[in-house]
Amino acid sequence: MLRYALKRLTSLVISLAFASLVIFFVTEVAPGDPARFMLGMNAQEDTVAALRSELGLDGSKAERYLDWVSGMAVGDFGTSYTYRTSVGGMIADRLWISLPLALYALALSTAIAFPAGIYAAARRGRPGDMGVMGATQLGIAVPNFWFAMMLVLIFAINLRWFSAGGFPGWDKGLWTGIKALTLPAIALALPQAAILARVMRSSLLDTLGEDFMRTARAKGLTRRQALWRHGLRNALIPVLTIIGLQFSFLLAGAIIIEQVFYLPGLGRLVFQSITQRDLIVVESVVMLLVFSVILVNFLVDLAYAAVDPRLRQRA
Amino acid sequence: MSLLEITDLSLDIGTYPILKGITLSVAEGEIVAVTGESGSGKSMTALAVMGLLPGGAATRGHVRLEGREILETSEAQMCRIRGRDVGMVFQEPMTALNPVKTIGDQVAETILVHEKCAKAEARARAREVLDRVGLPAERFPLTRYPHELSGGQRQRVVIAMAIALRPKLLIADEPTTALDVTTQAQILDLLKELVADYGMGMLIITHDLAVVSGLAHRIVVMRHGEVVEEGETRALFADMKHPYTRMLFEASDHCVDLPPRPDGTAPLLQVEGVSRDYPLPRTKLFEPRRHFRAVRDVSFTLDRGDRVGLVGESGCGKSTLTRAILGLEPVQEGRILLGGEPVLDGGRPNLAVRRRIQVVFQDPYGSFNPRHRVDRLVTEPYHLLPDPPKGAAREAAIDEALEAVGLQAADKRRYIHEFSGGQRQRIAIARALIIRPEIIVFDEAVSALDVSVRAQILDLMARLAAEYDLGYLFISHDLSVVRRITDRVLVMQAGEIVEEGETEQVFLAPRHAYTRSLIDAAPRLPKVGAA
């Protein structure tokens, strides 16, 4: 198991190095000069050149790449062209909202999907199954911002249980923060839960058809015991894969929900910095997202091995 | 009173009758074999006793276990009976165990489900049972996972789970069909011992009459959901009353009229010092790759019109060698020539050679594209020809190939799902024949077929060998079939050919110890009337 983990860790480092190269050079070849963009189209050539040198844009590509990577390694992401503040600080602020939001949504989606998927699989073809399948169909079809608006309408405007948007900050207390993230987390979680429940159901149904389930029944286990003791763990692998993918999406893909709820999260930061050609911010945020995706994949790999002894040995 | 009494059991699934008035019984300490071809309802009979019938099954009649009516027992009660009073062993040991649980946990579970006892005690008892089925603690600790065991060892674990609570009845559904002959012999011995030790009754289901003859006290022959004949084993073999039983018996030991071997012919397929390596996964990141040698320095020659058998147990390298001969994979050492030309020409298949050799695979269900009609399937090898026949010539060739294998020309407009397993195997042979190859490789081509169908396909092969002047390489784990259909035989063990010779010679006087163990382990049919 330790060897397996070390092997996955090595591949994590290699992926990161490769990703940083790709991100740096792709952003470099993107058209548009940040200095010219900041100064406007009518700026003097020498003013632009001065700003370029001030922003550190005149070094060679290799120098700038090394600066950027070595800076990131010690937590220094550089300085934003537009806001002239530390990128690291900007990202940290946003991450304090986006990360809890993503985790919150993921926890909700898993909490909804697991029971729903198991329930449907255990009642395959019966009304309970059809009900769950119908609901998930709806959950996938309806966009999450529509859910978001409905939630605001019902719980914020009519019932006044939650505020309609904004984030008070964690210094106002843990509960206040969680409360502010609840509606966005639900809106994000519902479509994800619908997908996850379907994956859970079909994976479990596949497992229920396996020979060892029949063996379990022949031992005297009830249908339910066989499902819980032998079915579930074998059905988890595809579900873990989807959970990993969903987390990555939730971290960066929440931009519409962030807009609906006026949350200053990572998604909005990326959007703003792209429109303002704030290359260093874009690069850093993208790198951070790539890092988190690779890290989540690493964790999912470890989870696979925890679930399935065959994978532990293959390493 | 018998232990198990099935009286007039009928079973329908939907409106389709599966069993029609089955009557049979098993007494304590008795081994009763249910035999018959696929679709005869053998397995459904077993599942009915277990109360594990698929949804939508409607039963009539009686299944009594120690006088208790199983068909009217509630599901909750059945859960208490299964595993405690009746144990079951299944066909596929590779998939019958949960891959993510240790063997100790899985055996102990049988005990824990039925008895209130501490986990430690259940594990201690699981240990004893595993010892009993021949998995000693030194080599097979309770913490082993199924994937760390071979097929035969896994089947022992399945048996351990089934007998952990010393049930009164053990049901074994084709328990050795998926195993090699030597393993099969060991598992059958184990089952026999257990029955004697524990005084269990055993209902064993198998399609293999030879397995049955050395094991069962009584035999029940089934066809299309009915019992056609039953009786004490020796008496039944001595005097088979029902024509179906006789047909089964004869087909199991079917003698093929192999045409005389053409003499004075030139070597056609030459395999010279061939080795084939597979890369193993790296255990460290930057170490050099290690290799597994699946085929080791194999040489043999197949003359024009030669009928050669290749036998060996699973994992011995038969299939790897087949793929190399067909030019599907490169070899690391040696060379393979067909008519003096290499089958692989600089890493690319040599089409001029390929069209002289064709193959028929084991699985009649998986080896056809289900979306193509038979005419298109049969003409697939035409892509090997520089100028394949078109129009009327093509149609004529299809008709001829289909008729040669005993099908009709009209069958070419049908899809593959409309054919039975035996018919599909005929189509596979037609597909191989259509470009008039000189050699056909039969890779376990009759292993998945019922004995009666198998007999027909073997006859067909013998006839085609004469009509088409055809040589073949017949690869099989089934020694009795190889003996009847080949002139020469190669015995393969762990990637090497350990014995080679005239088939009859090898079978009568095997020189290598491995050949001898294979022949000894193979179950044999008794001579008719020699009871």
Side-chain angles (χ1 to χ4, degrees), chain A residues 3-13 298 301-302:
Chain A
R3 168 176 277 184
Y4 176 84
L6 281 177
K7 228 181 123 171
R8 302 316 312 166
L9 205 60
T10 321
S11 92
L12 177 146
V13 172
F298 171 70
D301 278 345
L302 291 190

Side-chain angles (χ1 to χ4, degrees), chain A residues 133-162:
Chain A
M133 283 298 96
T136 57
Q137 194 74 266
L138 213 63
I140 293 171
V142 177
N144 59 12
F145 59 81
W146 187 84
F147 279 131
M149 292 188 293
M150 287 302 114
L151 289 170
V152 169
L153 206 64
I154 296 169
F155 294 103
I157 296 177
N158 286 341
L159 294 172
R160 296 184 175 276
W161 290 355
F162 296 92

Side-chain angles (χ1 to χ4, degrees), chain B residues 44-66:
Chain B
M44 280 297 167
T45 310
L47 291 176
V49 178
M50 290 299 282
L52 285 178
L53 289 167
T59 49
R60 290 180 307 282
H62 305 283
V63 177
R64 291 199 186 90
L65 185 71
E66 297 185 288

Side-chain angles (χ1 to χ4, degrees), chain A residues 187-203:
Chain A
L188 278 171
L190 285 178
Q192 306 294 320
I195 296 169
L196 200 59
R198 293 181 83 95
V199 174
M200 182 84 222
R201 173 184 178 270
S202 69
S203 173

Side-chain angles (χ1 to χ4, degrees), chain B residues 448-507:
Chain B
L449 303 175
D450 277 327
V451 282
S452 56
V453 181
R454 185 177 77 190
Q456 293 163 13
I457 298 289
L458 292 178
D459 280 341
L460 172 66
M461 284 167 57
R463 183 164 62 76
L464 294 175
E467 285 174 13
Y468 284 71
D469 193 18
L470 197 65
Y472 51 76
L473 181 64
F474 188 88
I475 296 151
S476 179
H477 69 282
D478 189 335
L479 296 167
S480 62
V481 174
V482 170
R483 185 171 188 174
R484 283 174 258 137
I485 194 84
T486 63
D487 312 306
R488 262 192 322 129
V489 68
L490 311 164
V491 182
M492 200 165 178
Q493 182 193 22
E496 290 177 89
I497 305 272
V498 295
E499 182 157 0
E500 176 180 2
E502 299 284 321
T503 304
E504 268 315 299
Q505 200 66 40
V506 170
F507 273 84

